[in-house]
Amino acid sequence: MLHITGIFKKFSSHIKDKYLIESVILIIISIILLKVLFINPIIGKCDNGDFDRLMTYGGISNISKNYNDIYNKFLHTNYLITSPNIFFVFGKDWVSESILLKIAVVIFLYAHNFSNYIFDIRYLAFVYSSIFLLGVFLILKFNKLSPILKCISGIFIILFFTDVSYIEYFNSFFGEAGTIVFFFLNIGTYLMLISKEKPKIRYFVYFFVTSACFLTSKSQELPLLVFMLIVYLGLFIFYKGKQYRKCILIGSVIVTMVCAMAYFSLTDTMNENNIYQSVFLGVLRGSNHPRKDLTELGVNEKFMAFYGKSFYNRKSSKDPLGKDMLREFYPKISPVKILDFYIKHPNRMWEKIKDSASNAYSFSIPGSWNFTKDEYSTNKFMNTFRTKLIKRYPKLHHNIYAFIGFSVIYFVICIFYFIKSKERSVRLLTLMLLFILASGSSQFILPVIGSGYGDFQKHLFLLNLSYDIMFGVAIVWFAHVIEVMFFKLKYGFNDKLTYNIKKL
């Protein structure tokens, strides 16, 4: 007993001396996650028809078979484990969250001695929360952050990313939850890698695994592989060791293959749905010459009959999956062809970009649809700081020129540091910061190309997440500049501390 007590005291002392700030921040985040996601009445997201794709990988189904019970616009916490598909690794519409769902199902079954098959979605929230906390920890322990900057980073993460509009996805089967946690973990493993003077191979492996998970968390993220390959190239250039470069090459190939597998796992129905919406709810939406647009896309004008009609409206005489559509429409349209259309019509692309800005940050205070039936409470503890900030300054958050101005300044500063700095870690850091910019800015047009205005506000989620991360980076950078100026005025750069700060 005394031996165990001694170990605990030694561990506590180590945490206090080395990770005090990180520990305090993680404790605060954990309390918020616990109160919002795990203590009744819990908050989450209700099913809009997208849950089935992920549920399949956990062998999970709805308890009720009645359509009105399933889609009653309330949060469901309990699901039936019909056949634990633990070894069903890969199949149609595969996403990386399927791995996390399997882990959650295994934990649930183990915790209940494999005798209870009513799955509680909070076990999935637990897995998401654990990964999120790990990602935050790795980011905060980045060696370029001074104690002051760690505190600022931690406070920002608490205020912005524990907002209910973000973490409510943890109690759901939506892909946005995976996007959040894998993005944070991807950034965290990258910072851990570049902070090492001579990193071990396993640090590269961690980064490649998490980047693959992020890129495959939703089909919408797959095009970001192009930008991630630039980050991989940077690693290859700056790490000259033979073993390093071999690992980077192998990792790059494997991630590319995983992304390709995820893309080809998409079912025909999903692809057809996206193409249908990208044309009839995208290209033709707001067009002055819709018939001409169809012709330019290489499609017969007779398909104008589908203009303004939902893909899911299959009961009418015009079936979006009818023989004519399958034979003459879908084979002639592709995302590349739609992108080509917008490139040839820059004014139309600009209109879509402005629409994306107008629909960004469509956050809302939770309503009855975020609670289980009859458990809606206005007194529920939750962090709504980010959501209320958006409501208070709507013009700023929906202004395309504000997005462009911020993006340009952010880009110029990153390039400046990349060119000016001689430090490998700083130059590699700027590559990741530029990847975050590319991830966010690309969402002004990629969702429109991919699926038009279908579920548009939800498809802009990565835009919201990326720009919030960049805003946090900007605040930390600004605090760093002030910190450097303060020590320069007070001590000069002969002081070791200020010298280390100056090296940033």
Side-chain angles (χ1 to χ4, degrees):
M1 186 68 181
L2 291 174
H3 177 66
I4 295 175
T5 304
I7 293 175
F8 178 76
K9 287 183 177 179
K10 188 175 181 181
F11 176 76
S12 300
S13 177
H14 176 73
I15 294 296
K16 182 180 179 181
D17 294 339
K18 199 169 183 181
Y19 301 119
L20 178 60
I21 295 174
E22 292 91 335
S23 298
V24 172
I25 297 298
L26 292 181
I27 289 172
I28 295 173
I29 293 175
S30 297
I31 292 172
I32 295 173
L33 292 172
L34 180 66
K35 286 184 170 291
V36 175
L37 302 174
F38 299 95
I39 298 178
N40 287 323
I42 67 171
I43 292 178
K45 300 285 284 186
C46 61
D47 190 358
N48 72 341
D50 287 345
F51 280 15
D52 284 346
R53 291 198 294 268
L54 182 59
M55 287 165 59
T56 300
Y57 285 93
I60 291 175
S61 63
N62 288 285
I63 294 176
S64 173
K65 301 299 180 184
N66 183 281
Y67 180 90
N68 291 328
D69 290 337
I70 296 173
Y71 302 108
N72 60 359
K73 296 184 180 180
F74 288 105
L75 169 68
H76 294 183
T77 58
N78 295 323
Y79 295 83
L80 181 64
I81 302 177
T82 51
S83 55
N85 294 332
I86 306 305
F87 301 105
F88 176 45
V89 179
F90 192 85
K92 62 181 182 180
D93 297 329
W94 182 86
V95 288
S96 56
E97 289 92 340
S98 63
I99 301 170
L100 304 186
L101 178 56
K102 291 179 189 297
I103 294 173
V105 170
V106 170
I107 294 174
F108 173 84
L109 291 173
Y110 180 79
H112 291 83
N113 296 316
F114 295 87
S115 59
N116 185 349
Y117 290 89
I118 303 299
F119 178 73
D120 190 327
I121 198 169
R122 283 176 286 190
Y123 279 81
L124 181 57
F126 170 76
V127 174
Y128 282 134
S129 298
S130 300
I131 296 176
F132 179 64
L133 289 168
L134 176 59
V136 172
F137 172 73
L138 293 177
I139 290 171
L140 292 178
K141 72 185 290 286
F142 183 46
N143 65 354
K144 294 293 184 184
L145 294 177
S146 68
I148 294 175
L149 298 184
K150 283 186 180 183
C151 290
I152 293 173
S153 300
I155 292 171
F156 182 87
I157 290 172
I158 291 170
L159 292 177
F160 273 59
F161 297 111
T162 66
D163 185 284
V164 68
S165 292
Y166 279 122
I167 63 173
E168 65 185 355
Y169 283 98
F170 289 11
N171 270 329
S172 80
F173 295 105
F174 282 124
E176 281 73 13
T179 297
I180 295 171
V181 302
F182 283 134
F183 207 179
F184 271 78
L185 190 59
N186 189 210
I187 295 170
T189 54
Y190 185 80
L191 296 181
M192 180 173 63
L193 166 63
I194 65 174
S195 65
K196 307 293 183 183
E197 186 62 34
K198 293 182 179 180
K200 295 180 180 180
I201 294 298
R202 69 170 182 266
Y203 292 118
F204 288 92
V205 175
Y206 297 153
F207 171 64
F208 281 110
V209 170
T210 57
S211 61
C213 289
F214 168 66
L215 294 171
T216 57
S217 59
K218 289 188 69 176
S219 59
Q220 184 180 336
E221 266 88 81
L222 291 174
L224 301 181
L225 173 64
V226 176
F227 304 119
M228 185 62 80
L229 288 174
I230 297 175
V231 178
Y232 295 165
L233 178 61
L235 291 174
F236 185 84
I237 292 173
F238 287 105
Y239 289 97
K240 303 182 185 300
K242 185 177 179 180
Q243 290 299 313
Y244 288 151
R245 291 192 164 180
K246 182 180 178 181
C247 177
I248 293 167
L249 282 174
I250 293 174
S252 302
V253 171
I254 291 176
V255 172
T256 302
M257 290 175 62
V258 171
C259 289
M261 290 169 63
Y263 176 78
F264 287 111
S265 76
L266 298 176
T267 58
D268 290 340
T269 301
M270 178 176 281
N271 282 321
E272 288 155 359
N273 178 18
N274 290 337
I275 289 173
Y276 181 93
Q277 294 188 126
S278 65
V279 173
F280 296 109
L281 295 179
V283 173
L284 302 190
R285 186 176 185 271
S287 172
N288 295 324
H289 310 285
R291 293 183 181 276
K292 182 181 177 181
D293 293 342
L294 271 184
T295 303
E296 189 170 340
L297 287 170
V299 176
N300 193 305
E301 288 186 15
K302 68 180 181 180
F303 292 112
M304 272 296 298
F306 291 94
Y307 181 38
K309 291 183 171 58
S310 170
F311 177 82
Y312 299 101
N313 184 17
R314 311 247 177 95
K315 295 180 180 179
S316 65
S317 58
K318 298 295 182 182
D319 184 1
L321 292 178
K323 292 182 180 179
D324 285 351
M325 290 287 283
L326 293 174
R327 184 174 59 250
E328 300 179 44
F329 178 77
Y330 295 112
K332 294 184 179 181
I333 304 293
S334 69
V336 174
K337 202 165 187 178
I338 293 170
L339 174 60
D340 181 64
F341 176 88
Y342 285 123
I343 291 174
K344 291 178 180 177
H345 299 83
N347 59 321
R348 299 283 297 280
M349 181 184 284
W350 174 243
E351 289 300 321
K352 303 302 180 186
I353 290 173
K354 289 196 296 183
D355 284 348
S356 294
S358 298
N359 285 275
Y361 289 110
S362 297
F363 291 178
S364 61
I365 302 296
S368 59
W369 53 89
N370 293 110
F371 293 81
T372 55
K373 192 174 182 179
D374 300 325
E375 289 196 3
Y376 173 57
S377 173
T378 55
N379 296 321
K380 170 69 177 178
F381 170 86
M382 65 185 83
N383 170 22
T384 57
F385 177 85
R386 185 69 185 109
T387 300
K388 289 180 178 178
L389 200 62
I390 294 165
K391 302 302 179 185
R392 187 174 298 173
Y393 304 104
K395 292 183 179 180
L396 177 65
H397 289 88
H398 304 301
N399 188 329
I400 184 58
Y401 299 104
F403 279 108
I404 292 175
F406 176 78
S407 300
V408 170
I409 294 171
Y410 180 98
F411 177 79
V412 170
I413 293 174
C414 285
I415 294 299
F416 171 78
Y417 273 90
F418 184 84
I419 295 173
K420 177 189 174 185
S421 179
K422 302 302 179 183
E423 277 194 73
R424 179 179 66 187
S425 60
V426 174
R427 301 183 80 179
L428 286 172
L429 173 62
T430 58
L431 286 182
M432 176 52 72
L433 297 180
L434 289 170
F435 172 78
I436 298 171
L437 173 61
S439 298
S441 59
S442 63
Q443 302 309 301
F444 282 105
I445 192 63
L446 283 181
V448 178
I449 294 171
S451 58
Y453 286 75
D455 214 359
F456 191 43
Q457 294 176 341
K458 184 170 176 289
H459 288 166
L460 293 172
F461 181 82
L462 184 57
L463 185 154
N464 308 332
L465 179 63
S466 298
Y467 274 89
D468 275 353
I469 293 174
M470 286 188 284
F471 184 52
V473 170
I475 289 176
V476 173
W477 171 80
F478 188 68
H480 154 69
V481 172
I482 295 175
E483 189 178 42
V484 170
M485 291 175 62
F486 172 79
F487 281 106
K488 182 178 181 180
L489 291 172
K490 189 169 183 178
Y491 300 108
F493 284 116
N494 292 325
D495 179 80
K496 184 177 180 181
L497 172 63
T498 55
Y499 174 74
N500 288 333
I501 295 174
K502 182 176 181 290
K503 288 201 301 180
L504 281 169

